[in-house]
Amino acid sequence: MIKRYSLDRMESVWSDQNRYQKWLDVEIAVCEAWSFYGHIPKSSLKNIKKKAKFSVKRIEAIEKTTKHDVIAFTTNLAESIGKDSRFIHLGLTSSDVLDTALSLLIVESGNMIKFELDKLIKTLMKMSKRYIKTPIIGRSHGIHAEVTTFGLVIANWLDEMKRSRKRLENSINICSVGKISGAVGTYSNVLPKIEAKACSILKLKPAKISSQIINRDYHADYFSSLAFIASAIERIAIQIRHMQRTEVLEVEEPFLKGQKGSSAMPHKRNPILSENLTGLSRIVRANAAASFENIPLWHERDISHSSVERVIGPDSSILTHFMLDRVNYMLANLNVYPDNMLSNIWKSNGAIFSQNVLVKLIEKGLTRERSYKIVQDTAIRSWTQKKDFQDLLSVNRQITKYLNKKEIRECFSFKNLFANAEFVLKRVLKSK
C-alpha cells in the first residue's frame, strides 16, 4: 500500500512531540537490548514499555531548572515509570539518544520527501512525452540559439530530478545510523552488542565509530541532497519565469479564478509560484552550508552544532517537501502555448538555422572559415534588415554556387530534430 504524506505531517515530524517520541523509542530500544542480554529483568522491561510516558509541557517545566533537555526528559519518564526507571538511560550519554533520534527523524523526513519527488518525476515524465514534438527556441545567454523541443527541455529537468532522487536515497541510507557507545564513544558503560541490538530494533546500522556524537558529515550529506533538490526546482522555476514574460509567453503559471496579480494593476498575472520557489531554494542551500560548518567540532564533541540543527533540520526538510508539492502543482497545471513557441522561433527571420547552412557548405568542400563568413554576413543582414534568411540565401551567389534551392530548404526543416528528440527522451526515460 502506498503511503500518502501531507504537508502538515511533515511539520509534525519535527514537532516537539515527535522529537521526544523518537527519544523514547531510542531509550526503550536500548532497554530491550539490555533485557535481551539478561541485564534488565523482563518484568521491568514490560513495566517500562507499559508506563513510559512524557509530557512536552512537563519536560519544558523541568528544563527551566535543569537547563538540560535530556535530563528533563528522563526525569519526566521516571515520574511515570517509577522504580524501574533506573534502567532508563543505562550506560548512555545524551548524544546516544539525541543523535540516534536525529537519524530517525532524517530517515522519516527523507522518505516523505522522496515520496513527493517521485510524484514530480511522474509529472515530468508525462509532460516530456506530451511535448517531445513541440518545437521551441533554445536559448544560450538568453539569446535565440537553435530550435529544440519543449519535451526535451522538460526531459532535461527530469534527468536532473532522477539524479536528485538517487542522492536523496543514498543520503537516507548513509544517515540510517545509530550511536549507543556512551561518553566519548568508548563503550565504557555500555556494550557494542547492546548498540547493535538497539540499532537493529530501530532499523538503523551502528556507526562504525563515534566520538561522543555521530560525525556531522553524515547529516551534511542529507542537507546537501536537499540543496540539490531545491536547486533543481529553482532551475525549473527560473526557466518558467523567463518563459512567462509578456514578450515571450510560451508558458504561464496557473492563475485561479479570483486570484489577483497586483494591488494597482488589474491586468497582472505574475509568476508568483516560481518566484517563491526561487526564494525558498536560497534558504535550503544556505542551510546546507551551515551543515558543513557543523562538521569540525572541538575534540570528541561540543554543542555548537546543536543550535544549528534545531533550525536547519525542520526548516530544510519542511521547505523541500513544500517546494516539491508546489512545483508539481505548478507543472501539472501549467498553461502551455505551442503557437507562441512556434512564433518565437521565427522572430529571427530564420537566421537561427545558420549552422545547418554552415555544415552543408563545409560538406561541399569550403573551409570552415570561408563558410562561416559567408553565412554570418547573410545572417547579420537578415537580422538588421529584417529580411527572410532563406530568401537571402537563395539569391546569394556565394551560396547558390554550392547549394541548390532544395538543399537550402532542407536547412530549415524540423525533421531531424524530432527524431533526435525522441531518441534522447527514450534514453532519459530508461535511466534509473
Side-chain angles (χ1 to χ4, degrees), residues 204-243:
L204 300 174
K205 305 177 293 288
K208 291 184 177 65
I209 186 172
S210 55
S211 55
Q212 191 157 326
I213 59 164
I214 292 175
N215 292 345
R216 262 41 201 176
D217 64 292
Y218 283 97
H219 310 107
D221 197 284
Y222 169 70
F223 290 110
S224 295
S225 292
L226 301 190
F228 272 115
I229 294 171
S231 296
I233 291 173
E234 185 184 8
R235 180 169 172 243
I236 295 172
I238 286 178
Q239 193 150 359
I240 296 297
R241 288 166 60 192
H242 281 304
M243 294 169 73

Side-chain angles (χ1 to χ4, degrees), residues 35-51:
S35 180
F36 180 82
Y37 287 106
H39 297 280
I40 293 179
K42 293 189 182 301
S43 58
S44 296
L45 175 63
K46 184 178 180 180
N47 187 50
I48 289 170
K49 295 175 72 172
K50 179 181 179 180
K51 292 184 178 180

Side-chain angles (χ1 to χ4, degrees), residues 7-25 54-57 59-60 73 101-102 104-106 108-109 112 309-311 313-315 317-318:
L7 293 174
D8 289 340
R9 189 181 159 200
M10 175 55 93
E11 292 179 7
S12 70
V13 168
W14 294 93
S15 66
D16 288 338
Q17 181 68 31
N18 194 52
R19 179 163 58 94
Y20 290 134
Q21 181 60 54
K22 291 293 188 288
W23 291 10
L24 181 57
D25 292 343
F54 64 85
S55 162
V56 174
K57 289 185 177 180
I59 293 170
E60 290 173 347
F73 173 73
L102 179 57
L104 295 173
L105 291 173
I106 287 175
E108 186 174 2
S109 296
M112 291 174 66
E309 289 163 359
R310 289 169 190 253
V311 175
D315 281 8
S317 299
I318 293 169

Side-chain angles (χ1 to χ4, degrees), residues 114-137:
K114 187 169 65 174
F115 179 82
E116 291 299 320
L117 189 51
D118 285 340
K119 289 201 297 185
L120 175 59
I121 287 172
K122 287 180 181 179
T123 296
L124 292 171
M125 290 175 66
K126 182 179 179 181
M127 292 180 70
S128 61
K129 293 176 185 177
R130 180 178 179 182
Y131 296 109
I132 195 58
K133 290 188 176 181
T134 301
I136 187 174
I137 189 64

Side-chain angles (χ1 to χ4, degrees), residues 78-95:
E79 292 173 341
S80 63
I81 296 171
K83 184 180 178 181
D84 286 327
S85 65
R86 69 187 187 276
F87 298 119
I88 290 289
H89 210 67
L90 183 63
L92 307 187
T93 189
S94 297
S95 293

Side-chain angles (χ1 to χ4, degrees), residues 163-414:
R163 289 194 298 277
S164 290
R165 191 192 187 283
K166 283 183 181 179
R167 293 188 193 101
L168 177 62
E169 196 163 42
N170 188 53
S171 292
I172 293 170
N173 182 57
I174 287 173
C175 289
S176 296
V177 294
K179 179 262 182 199
I180 310 293
S181 55
V184 304
T186 60
Y187 301 97
S188 57
N189 287 289
V190 68
L191 304 172
K193 65 181 181 180
I194 300 299
E195 177 185 60
K197 183 63 177 178
C199 285
S200 176
I201 292 169
L202 296 168
K203 298 181 179 179
L204 300 174
K205 305 177 293 288
K208 291 184 177 65
I209 186 172
S210 55
S211 55
Q212 191 157 326
I213 59 164
I214 292 175
N215 292 345
R216 262 41 201 176
D217 64 292
Y218 283 97
H219 310 107
D221 197 284
Y222 169 70
F223 290 110
S224 295
S225 292
L226 301 190
F228 272 115
I229 294 171
S231 296
I233 291 173
E234 185 184 8
R235 180 169 172 243
I236 295 172
I238 286 178
Q239 193 150 359
I240 296 297
R241 288 166 60 192
H242 281 304
M243 294 169 73
Q244 186 169 329
R245 285 180 296 137
T246 306
E247 63 273 21
V248 177
L249 201 58
E250 292 169 339
V251 302
E252 190 176 31
E253 288 183 6
F255 195 84
L256 303 178
K257 184 178 180 180
Q259 185 174 335
K260 305 293 187 293
S262 167
S263 63
M265 298 167 283
H267 70 279
K268 294 296 292 296
R269 290 161 65 105
N270 301 325
I272 58 173
L273 298 178
S274 49
E275 287 176 337
N276 171 257
L277 292 169
T278 294
L280 295 179
S281 70
R282 297 169 185 170
I283 300 174
V284 179
R285 280 197 299 273
N287 286 352
S291 73
F292 278 88
E293 296 296 328
N294 278 353
I295 294 174
L297 300 175
W298 283 27
H299 304 290
E300 277 57 58
R301 75 165 292 207
D302 60 49
I303 63 166
S304 60
H305 60 89
S306 177
S307 54
V308 177
E309 289 163 359
R310 289 169 190 253
V311 175
I312 68 175
D315 281 8
S316 287
S317 299
I318 293 169
L319 284 178
T320 304
H321 190 257
F322 172 81
M323 290 174 71
L324 285 166
D325 179 77
R326 171 153 287 190
V327 73
N328 193 51
Y329 164 78
M330 179 180 74
L331 292 174
N333 296 279
L334 192 68
N335 296 307
V336 180
Y337 304 122
D339 289 344
N340 287 351
M341 292 177 179
L342 193 60
S343 175
N344 287 338
I345 287 173
W346 297 103
K347 280 187 176 179
S348 66
N349 305 310
I352 57 169
F353 296 95
S354 65
Q355 183 178 196
N356 294 347
V357 182
L358 171 67
V359 170
K360 279 190 177 292
L361 289 175
I362 293 172
E363 289 174 346
K364 294 291 184 176
L366 273 71
T367 66
R368 180 177 181 82
E369 290 72 22
R370 177 63 178 156
S371 300
Y372 195 102
K373 186 177 189 314
I374 293 171
V375 175
Q376 185 183 46
D377 288 346
T378 309
I380 290 174
R381 186 181 169 199
S382 170
W383 178 251
T384 56
Q385 296 181 9
K386 294 182 173 28
K387 292 184 177 181
D388 187 79
F389 183 53
Q390 187 173 346
D391 290 345
L392 292 177
L393 292 172
S394 298
V395 297
N396 187 328
R397 291 183 180 180
Q398 296 180 90
I399 301 290
T400 57
K401 181 179 178 181
Y402 301 96
L403 303 177
N404 59 39
K405 288 186 177 181
K406 180 183 177 184
E407 289 173 318
I408 292 173
R409 188 166 58 251
E410 288 174 347
C411 293
F412 295 81
S413 171
F414 293 155

